Amino acid sequence: MPSGCPDRSGLVGRHSELELLQATVRDTPSLALVEGEAGVGKSRLVRELTSRLTEVRTLVGQCEQLQEPLPLSPLLDAFRQTGDRIGGTRTLNPVIGALAPLLPEIADLLPAPPPVLTDLGADRHRVFRAAVALLEHFGPLVLVLEDLHWADTVTLDFLAFLSAHLPPRLAVILTGRIETERLPIREALARASSGAARIVRLSPLNRTEVAELAGGILTTEPAPDFTDRLYDWTGGIPFVVEEVLRTFMESAGTELPGGPETLDDLAAPTVLRDVVVQRLLSLDEEAREVLHAAAVIGLVADDRLLAAVTGRDAAGIARALARAQALGLLHEEDGTSRFRHALARQVVYESTPAPERRWLHLRTAQALESESPPAARLAHHYRQAGRRTEFVAWAEVAADTALAHGNDAAAARFLVMALGADGLAADVRVRLAVALGRAAVDGLAHTEAQPIVARLLETEQLPAAVRGELRFAYGRLLRQSGDARAGYLEIEKAVGDLADEPALLGRALAVLAAPETVTDRHLRDHEARCDEAAVAARRSGDRGVDIAVRITRAGLLLEQGQPESWPLIEDLLGGDLPASYREHARACLNWAQAALHIGRLDRAEALLTEGRQVADRAEYLRLADVADLVTAAVEHAAGRWDGLIDRVRRLGGADATFGAASLDSHLLHGCLLAAIGPAEEAADRFTEVIAVADRVGAVWPLISARTAMSRLLLTLDDPLGAAEHAYAAVADARAKGNWAWGAAPVLSLADALNAQGRAAEVAELVDELAVGLDGTDAPRAETALLIARAVLASNHDAEIADALLETARAAAASAGLRYDEAQAAERLGLGRCERGDARGGADLEAALRLYGALPAARDVARVCRSMRQHGVPIPYPWRGGRPALGGTLSAREYRVAALAAAGRTNQEIATELFLSRRTVESHVSSALRKLGCATRKNLATLLLDDSA
């Protein structure tokens, strides 16, 4: 199969239908008719049946769509497949010779033709008898005749004859397309000598089955909203699903599907377009005009609105819709005529000449105005009609309506479209842009809104208050799209213009007070901004602004690990905060992230749960990605890693809706790869995050990414590189003035320098860290401080080092930080084993079990190597330095990995195993990750160990 083509090998659904056909084959003589609309999977079902018939002969004939079909052509085509299977030990019935003139290719294998009959009816009857006799000769036999809707009348007459004279060991499977009427052969089949034929009516797939089919074709599970849109787009018709995904894969390359909007701009598959256009052209002019109007109106063909738009009476509309239904362009659902699927409507719409489309949109808008429809619908039709003034007016009304219902994303989309209209007056542009700035911050239109707002700030002479509000919105848009420094600077500029707008000023200053936003500001600056925000909030008298400032102050203290943050949070949660769903949800998720930063996993989980519940109630779409990211981070810290790496990979994909969260998701992905493998991918992730975070000035992921890279380089025996990244992370933490963030970098630096025999150089820094953490409640930082002190003590007092590590291990366990606990146990065990202390073996085994439960394959491999080096028995199921391969790799992954370990290239493996190169690449990457290998060379070593 060519790369990029859907794999249609797996049958989705249809289990009861397949069982019915299998029963037909068993219970001979028998007949079954598989019917359904075009593309619903009739032929696919029959292929699945015949592939399972290993002990029964099968003949297949195909009716063809010809202007004048050849008499009996599908049956004769089936007989031509028999070839040298005719004859054998059984004597052929002489009447079979009547088929010889019709089958010259095998005539020499048949009895001699009987004398010619002059009565055409008698001759046809003899041919029918001959065909039945030959079918009986081949028994047991399954005869499949496909696409009876194209069959000639002689073939249909033969099937009526056959149903009355079925040979005892014959099963007949027929397929035919139906749209609105039954196939004419059904009456004859109902009177079959063996009893009425089984009717297998295939319906479109349901949503779950469409998701299964899409997952098989894409070789990954698509997002639920993607499959929901795919179902709506295709009507659940398997052929249409496959063609849409084939078109998608050809246009998207190796990119996996993202959100449902990725389907919106997809062209209708060529095969489907040809079918729909052919049916459309077969309609008369009246029906075609009505169907064009229906495509403009929407998926549902509203009879009354169609009459108003086209000027035709109700009877004319009904006739046109009935003709379209007869051709399968429409179908009946819930008492209304609807397009069979969205793609059929799209093809009809695009087939309508552009001038006619504009006229129909205008007529539709005018007809709708008298009915008080949703403003969004009117805006759409006026826009497509090219009526700018009416479109902008209704788009603004639609945006206001969306905002009133809390749908900021929809409001932002309408305002972006309105601002894109030509010839807008300056005052209208400013009014729309200010509204857009407000909506886009909480919506999802960051990318679209930014250039519009920036252009207005550059080109318009705006009053100070308007300019300040617009700049504040622009700064927030920049921050939310991931450009932390640029956004921060814009908001700083806005502050000067907002002096006379204390409510907006208070909110702007509260944003500037958040410490995790930017690299170039010290905690003192954030604290000063927070105090200024409190003054502005009091001056405004706006309770909402006061709440926003208090939320920021609690977060500012929490990021430092200050215990007084918790009473502030509890006061807010128990007071006014729950009255504002959005502020409530946003605050809980921000606090949950801060709690994770300092290692308060218990608090983070509670805040996350509350934040998600509130966000779901508020249907606050902008927080969806943030909530998913915080959830993933919590699960990482808690050691719940099952399936986590795939979810995190999707979070940072091209379809991510909240740019500011993407760096954090990439960082988390890198941390998982560093523990699971391969190490090169982890290094690439960290390098990417460091480069981008440094460029945009995003302090939180920058410090953490540099620290994570330092730790990774230590596992790769590069203490010089590790020290370089650790020094940079320490410098960032010191510049920010937050030692709760600086503890992990200090520990990494201590390890890197200790590996070079220079541990003493970090002693003063460890003391500085201890002073900075005094009085804080930050378990993760406190654990890092204890371990850093143990690193220093290990060179002169092993007992003190052990005591510090025991305390660190207990602190991590108490905080629920499983990975941190495993690392402390590993350090303790390794140190003791190196000194010959018998307790070290138990410590290493404890670390191994903690890593294995995650599973952290690279860490497991490293601990197993240490255990072998020190003669410590490795427990089941870890053998040969990593988990047993049989429990880690699938059979296919193992085979691919073995060939890769033997030096084969991906293309060579693909050729040998009949796989695509892309599939081989996926299996190799999966094997490297699961086994914690950095390279194919490491893979070879592991597989050699396993075979030994």
Side-chain angles (χ1 to χ4, degrees):
M1 181 176 296
S3 177
C5 290
D7 177 5
R8 300 181 173 89
S9 59
L11 183 69
V12 173
R14 313 303 194 205
H15 302 300
S16 61
E17 293 89 344
L18 181 60
E19 289 174 0
L20 192 57
L21 292 185
Q22 289 174 320
T24 300
V25 173
R26 287 194 305 269
D27 303 335
T28 58
S30 55
L31 282 157
L33 172 62
V34 182
E35 59 183 18
E37 63 186 290
V40 81
K42 302 179 293 296
S43 297
R44 177 66 189 84
L45 176 64
V46 171
R47 284 202 307 275
E48 183 68 24
L49 171 72
T50 56
S51 71
R52 301 184 182 202
L53 301 179
T54 57
E55 298 180 1
V56 181
R57 178 178 294 176
T58 303
L59 295 180
V60 179
Q62 177 80 42
C63 300
E64 297 178 356
Q65 187 182 15
L66 301 174
Q67 193 71 28
E68 295 184 10
L70 300 173
L72 292 178
S73 63
L75 181 67
L76 298 177
D77 286 343
F79 284 152
R80 289 187 185 100
Q81 301 168 21
T82 58
D84 56 8
R85 288 181 288 175
I86 296 176
T89 58
R90 296 169 57 193
T91 303
L92 288 171
N93 187 327
V95 76
I96 294 174
L99 294 174
L102 302 176
L103 296 168
E105 300 91 338
I106 59 173
D108 60 327
L109 301 174
L110 301 177
V116 176
L117 298 174
T118 57
D119 184 331
L120 293 180
D123 183 68
R124 177 177 294 179
H125 182 265
R126 188 168 64 182
V127 169
F128 286 3
R129 287 177 51 222
V132 172
L134 186 55
L135 291 172
E136 183 173 13
H137 173 79
F138 285 131
L141 174 70
V142 176
L143 173 67
V144 177
L145 297 181
E146 292 253 44
D147 294 328
L148 284 189
H149 49 279
W150 288 326
D152 62 282
T153 56
V154 178
T155 299
L156 295 176
D157 287 345
F158 167 72
L159 289 174
F161 180 86
L162 176 63
S163 66
H165 304 85
L166 277 175
R169 297 190 298 168
L170 176 67
V172 181
I173 308 292
L174 310 171
T175 74
R177 181 188 304 173
I178 58 167
E179 303 296 354
T180 59
E181 300 179 357
R182 289 159 41 121
L183 289 166
I185 192 63
R186 281 188 62 168
E187 290 187 14
L189 299 182
R191 298 191 299 270
S193 60
S194 61
R198 294 177 170 92
I199 304 299
V200 181
R201 181 71 183 268
L202 295 186
S203 300
L205 302 177
N206 59 34
R207 291 181 187 273
T208 302
E209 291 165 341
V210 167
E212 183 183 347
L213 177 59
I217 291 171
L218 298 168
T219 67
T220 187
E221 182 181 355
D225 54 355
F226 178 89
T227 53
D228 283 345
R229 181 70 63 88
L230 181 63
Y231 174 82
D232 294 336
W233 207 235
T234 62
I237 299 172
F239 169 76
V240 182
V241 173
E242 292 175 344
E243 287 297 306
V244 167
L245 292 176
R246 180 186 61 78
T247 304
F248 173 84
M249 293 168 73
E250 288 174 353
S251 63
T254 59
E255 288 294 319
L256 296 179
E261 67 281 353
T262 57
L263 292 173
D264 290 349
D265 297 326
L266 202 63
T270 302
V271 176
L272 176 66
R273 180 180 296 278
D274 292 344
V275 170
V276 173
V277 169
Q278 182 183 24
R279 295 182 186 182
L280 181 64
L281 292 176
S282 70
L283 291 171
D284 59 48
E285 184 177 349
E286 178 187 51
R288 207 159 46 241
E289 179 187 329
V290 170
L291 204 61
H292 285 167
V296 165
I297 290 170
L299 275 174
V300 178
D302 184 322
D303 303 43
R304 183 189 45 74
L305 188 54
L306 280 169
V309 171
T310 63
R312 298 187 181 278
D313 60 22
I317 297 296
R319 284 194 303 271
L321 296 181
R323 291 173 193 143
Q325 283 193 29
L327 290 175
L329 293 168
L330 302 177
H331 72 134
E332 196 75 12
E333 184 178 316
D334 299 329
T336 61
S337 292
R338 302 172 62 93
F339 279 95
R340 187 65 195 82
H341 42 73
L343 282 173
R345 177 196 170 232
Q346 177 183 321
V347 173
V348 174
Y349 181 85
E350 292 172 353
S351 300
T352 307
E356 183 183 351
R357 275 205 309 264
R358 289 194 296 272
W359 180 81
L360 288 170
H361 276 294
L362 179 59
R363 293 278 294 172
T364 302
Q366 292 169 340
L368 286 171
E369 275 208 70
S370 62
E371 303 177 3
S372 301
R377 196 172 178 191
L378 283 170
H380 163 73
H381 286 296
Y382 275 123
R383 184 187 188 208
Q384 297 303 322
R387 302 295 284 264
R388 185 194 67 220
T389 303
E390 292 92 337
F391 158 62
V392 171
W394 283 109
E396 194 167 4
V397 173
D400 290 341
T401 303
L403 285 171
H405 288 84
N407 193 343
D408 304 289
R413 285 194 295 271
F414 283 118
L415 292 167
V416 166
M417 287 190 294
L419 280 161
D422 295 329
L424 290 179
D427 61 325
V428 175
R429 275 203 312 277
V430 171
R431 185 178 73 245
L432 293 174
V434 170
L436 174 62
R438 296 169 185 161
V441 166
D442 283 329
L444 300 174
H446 310 140
T447 304
E448 299 92 335
Q450 279 180 38
I452 296 171
V453 177
R455 189 162 55 249
L456 280 171
L457 286 169
E458 292 171 2
T459 61
E460 299 289 340
Q461 294 294 319
L462 304 172
V466 174
R467 184 173 62 245
E469 181 176 1
L470 209 53
R471 196 177 294 283
F472 177 32
Y474 182 49
R476 294 180 70 186
L477 290 172
L478 287 170
R479 289 182 63 247
Q480 290 177 355
S481 64
D483 202 340
R485 182 184 291 110
Y488 196 93
L489 293 175
E490 286 295 331
I491 298 173
E492 283 188 329
K493 292 178 187 176
V495 166
D497 286 329
L498 294 174
D500 296 329
E501 298 289 337
L504 279 172
L505 177 62
R507 290 190 180 276
L509 289 166
V511 173
L512 297 177
E516 73 278 12
T517 53
V518 69
T519 53
D520 305 327
R521 300 294 183 272
H522 194 276
L523 276 178
R524 291 187 299 271
D525 300 318
H526 297 298
E527 290 164 351
R529 291 297 194 183
C530 196
D531 292 339
E532 292 171 23
V535 171
R538 287 194 296 272
R539 188 157 63 91
S540 73
D542 188 324
R543 191 156 186 77
V545 179
D546 175 65
I547 291 173
V549 174
R550 288 160 60 200
I551 289 171
T552 299
R553 189 178 297 280
L556 177 59
L557 293 169
L558 184 56
E559 290 285 7
Q560 301 172 66
Q562 297 297 334
E564 57 264 37
S565 60
W566 296 115
L568 290 178
I569 291 172
E570 289 161 6
D571 182 55
L572 281 162
L573 291 176
D576 298 321
L577 187 55
S580 172
Y581 279 163
R582 294 196 167 193
E583 291 281 13
H584 189 175
R586 188 160 42 205
C588 284
L589 292 176
N590 287 342
W591 290 334
Q593 282 183 301
L596 271 181
H597 294 168
I598 62 173
R600 284 302 305 267
L601 180 59
D602 55 338
R603 296 279 196 160
E605 296 215 64
L607 287 165
L608 170 62
T609 299
E610 183 166 346
R612 288 208 82 126
Q613 290 172 348
V614 176
D616 289 344
R617 285 202 301 270
E619 297 182 351
Y620 194 5
L621 299 179
R622 188 180 74 79
L623 286 187
D625 277 357
V626 178
D628 288 343
L629 174 62
V630 179
T631 300
V634 164
E635 292 179 355
H636 176 255
R640 300 190 292 267
W641 291 14
D642 186 30
L644 183 59
I645 195 164
D646 292 327
R647 284 188 286 126
V648 171
R649 185 184 293 112
R650 286 195 294 270
L651 279 176
D655 58 309
T657 57
F658 189 40
S662 64
L663 280 179
D664 289 317
S665 63
H666 290 175
L667 171 61
L668 182 54
H669 186 206
C671 290
L672 285 164
L673 288 170
I676 297 171
E680 289 99 329
E681 289 187 30
D684 289 344
R685 270 299 191 214
F686 294 145
T687 300
E688 175 192 3
V689 173
I690 291 167
V692 175
D694 191 33
R695 175 172 55 80
V696 302
V699 66
W700 167 251
L702 179 59
I703 294 175
S704 296
R706 282 175 166 160
T707 304
M709 177 63 100
S710 175
R711 300 227 61 82
L712 178 65
L713 292 176
L714 281 170
T715 68
L716 298 175
D717 299 322
D718 182 8
L720 291 175
E724 180 182 351
H725 283 283
Y727 271 124
V730 169
D732 290 333
R734 180 181 276 124
K736 178 58 67 175
N738 188 3
W739 284 108
W741 296 352
V746 169
L747 173 57
S748 287
L749 182 59
D751 282 330
L753 294 179
N754 189 51
Q756 302 172 54
R758 300 163 51 200
E761 295 177 24
V762 82
E764 290 185 7
L765 182 58
V766 172
D767 291 339
E768 184 181 357
L769 172 64
V771 172
L773 293 179
D774 186 39
T776 62
D777 173 22
R780 180 161 273 160
E782 292 160 10
T783 300
L785 173 61
L786 288 165
I787 297 174
R789 283 175 162 166
V791 171
L792 295 176
S794 64
N795 293 311
H796 58 83
D797 195 324
E799 289 188 8
I800 292 178
D802 284 1
L804 288 166
L805 289 173
E806 288 277 18
T807 305
R809 177 180 174 183
S814 177
L817 304 171
R818 293 291 167 255
Y819 194 62
D820 301 57
E821 179 188 358
Q823 289 178 315
E826 180 186 0
R827 286 174 182 272
L828 183 62
L830 188 58
R832 283 173 169 169
C833 284
E834 287 174 348
R835 300 195 308 271
D837 188 328
R839 294 173 296 173
D843 295 324
L844 286 179
E845 181 175 333
L848 177 63
R849 294 188 181 281
L850 285 167
Y851 286 136
L854 294 173
R858 290 190 68 244
D859 299 300
V860 165
R862 183 182 62 251
V863 172
C864 284
R865 285 196 296 271
S866 297
M867 294 175 80
R868 285 200 307 272
Q869 289 169 2
H870 294 287
V872 177
I874 300 174
Y876 180 84
W878 297 280
R879 177 172 57 84
R882 71 288 177 255
L885 297 185
T888 304
L889 301 183
S890 69
R892 175 71 74 187
E893 285 171 338
Y894 188 94
R895 177 66 176 141
V896 170
L899 291 171
R904 303 285 187 87
T905 67
N906 288 346
Q907 187 57 59
E908 289 170 341
I909 298 171
T911 301
E912 179 167 339
L913 299 183
F914 302 100
L915 300 171
S916 72
R917 181 170 179 172
R918 184 174 163 189
T919 299
V920 171
E921 290 170 354
S922 176
H923 284 323
V924 170
S925 177
S926 179
L928 289 169
R929 185 180 72 250
K930 288 182 178 182
L931 299 178
C933 296
T935 65
R936 289 185 179 221
K937 183 177 179 181
N938 299 144
L939 189 62
T941 302
L942 283 177
L943 290 171
L944 287 172
D945 286 349
D946 188 68
S947 62

